[in-house]
Amino acid sequence: MNIVVLTGAGISAESGVPTFRDADGLWEGHRIEEVATPEAYDLSPVAVQRFYDARRKALAEVEPNPAHVALARLEEVLGDELFLVTQNIDDLHERGGSQRVAHMHGELLSALCRSCGGRSHWTDDLDDFPPCPRCGIPELRPDVVWFGEVPYGMDVIQGKLMRADLFVSIGTSGAVYPAAGFVQMAAACGARTLEINLEPSEGTHFFNEARHGRAGELVPIWVDEVLRPLGF
Ligand code: OAD
């Protein structure tokens, strides 16, 4: 059985990583356009670097929660039959034990060189504009996909959605495309679809089934349901 799981900020909420669309509509006190667009970077590169430097540092203070761990357990059993794609730029899936994670919106622990296009594993700050480890030119920016930029790996993701028997969306508001459209693509290709989210997402009516509550509780239950018939 081929399963595609899409995760969003809600899966990391119980770990202490703030989601994007809270009641005040701000991301850590900033409007998203101030920090997550190429225009914001062109206008205020140091401010944008510092914003992501702070997010990168904050990773050290959070831990994966039972939802991340349950998805790693699912991968351990299903191997390549599970495709995990996340909109999150944190590394909590990996620290929860997942080996293969498609980060469609990039990663905090990666730097992208605006000169050579190289992507380098990165744990330090970028606000002092260090040289690119590949080409030496000091043009490193956060390796995150900003509004107006193309998400990573869309060809692979589309192929997986077309072959999916089950598509599960976890902890995402369904407000940002193309990820918000994955449910319709998977359904059009014959997959059953399940939403797990604190509240109904914007696209909740597209799903065959919706379970509303905390990911840390509902994801381990769902994973048990998948694995029990397989003898695990
Ligand atoms: P959002 O902040 O838009 O939505 C998070 C969703 O998680 C909401 O629907 C919450 O109800 C839900 N949620 C909160 N706590 C939860 C919990 N404990 N268990 C389950 N669900 C919970 O985040 P995303 O949908 O991930 O893109 O946002 C998508 C994209 O918009 C992000 O990747 C980012 C942002 O702008 C870019 O930066 C390109």
Side-chain angles (χ1 to χ4, degrees):
M1 176 166 67
N2 288 315
I3 302 179
V4 174
V5 172
L6 167 71
T7 63
I11 198 169
S12 295
E14 287 158 70
S15 295
V17 181
T19 56
F20 294 92
R21 289 169 187 80
D22 288 335
D24 63 3
L26 300 179
W27 184 16
E28 301 268 330
H30 296 262
R31 287 188 302 122
I32 284 180
E33 314 84 77
E34 281 172 17
V35 290
T37 59
E39 292 76 19
Y41 186 80
D42 288 340
L43 203 64
S44 331
V46 175
V48 172
Q49 294 284 25
R50 287 192 177 147
F51 177 79
Y52 288 95
D53 286 349
R55 307 279 78 71
R56 197 178 300 109
K57 272 203 183 82
L59 288 181
E61 278 133 48
V62 296
E63 295 292 335
N65 67 56
H68 298 104
V69 174
L71 291 178
R73 185 168 158 247
L74 191 62
E75 181 195 76
E76 214 174 278
V77 177
L78 296 185
D80 283 339
E81 288 183 38
L82 174 71
F83 181 70
L84 174 58
V85 52
T86 187
Q87 298 166 91
N88 298 343
I89 56 177
D90 64 52
D91 64 342
L92 291 176
H93 280 304
E94 286 85 351
R95 284 201 270 146
S98 291
Q99 311 271 326
R100 292 177 285 259
V101 186
H103 281 272
M104 63 178 289
H105 288 169
E107 295 175 72
L108 278 170
L109 295 181
S110 177
L112 172 67
C113 180
R114 300 210 315 163
S115 182
C116 74
R119 306 173 72 189
S120 304
H121 182 69
W122 201 265
T123 53
D124 296 331
D125 287 345
L126 287 170
D127 68 338
D128 54 349
F129 297 92
C132 169
R134 292 163 191 266
C135 72
I137 297 175
E139 283 280 4
L140 295 175
R141 56 161 270 188
D143 190 6
V144 299
V145 174
W146 288 326
F147 283 92
E149 297 181 328
V150 181
Y152 284 116
M154 284 305 298
D155 286 0
V156 173
I157 295 168
Q158 273 164 12
K160 296 285 184 184
L161 289 169
M162 286 166 68
R163 286 190 296 279
D165 301 299
L166 175 64
F167 171 76
V168 186
S169 172
I170 302 170
T172 176
S173 59
V176 175
Y177 282 80
F182 290 175
V183 56
Q184 287 157 282
M185 193 180 298
C189 297
R192 267 192 63 74
T193 56
L194 166 67
E195 162 168 286
I196 298 177
N197 204 50
L198 196 58
E199 60 198 358
S201 73
E202 289 188 20
T204 194
H205 50 283
F206 292 125
F207 290 85
N208 297 121
E209 184 187 347
R211 300 181 184 184
H212 297 135
R214 290 151 58 100
E217 289 164 19
L218 296 185
V219 175
I221 292 171
W222 169 68
V223 167
D224 278 345
E225 286 171 19
V226 175
L227 293 184
R228 205 172 302 120
L230 303 175
F232 292 91

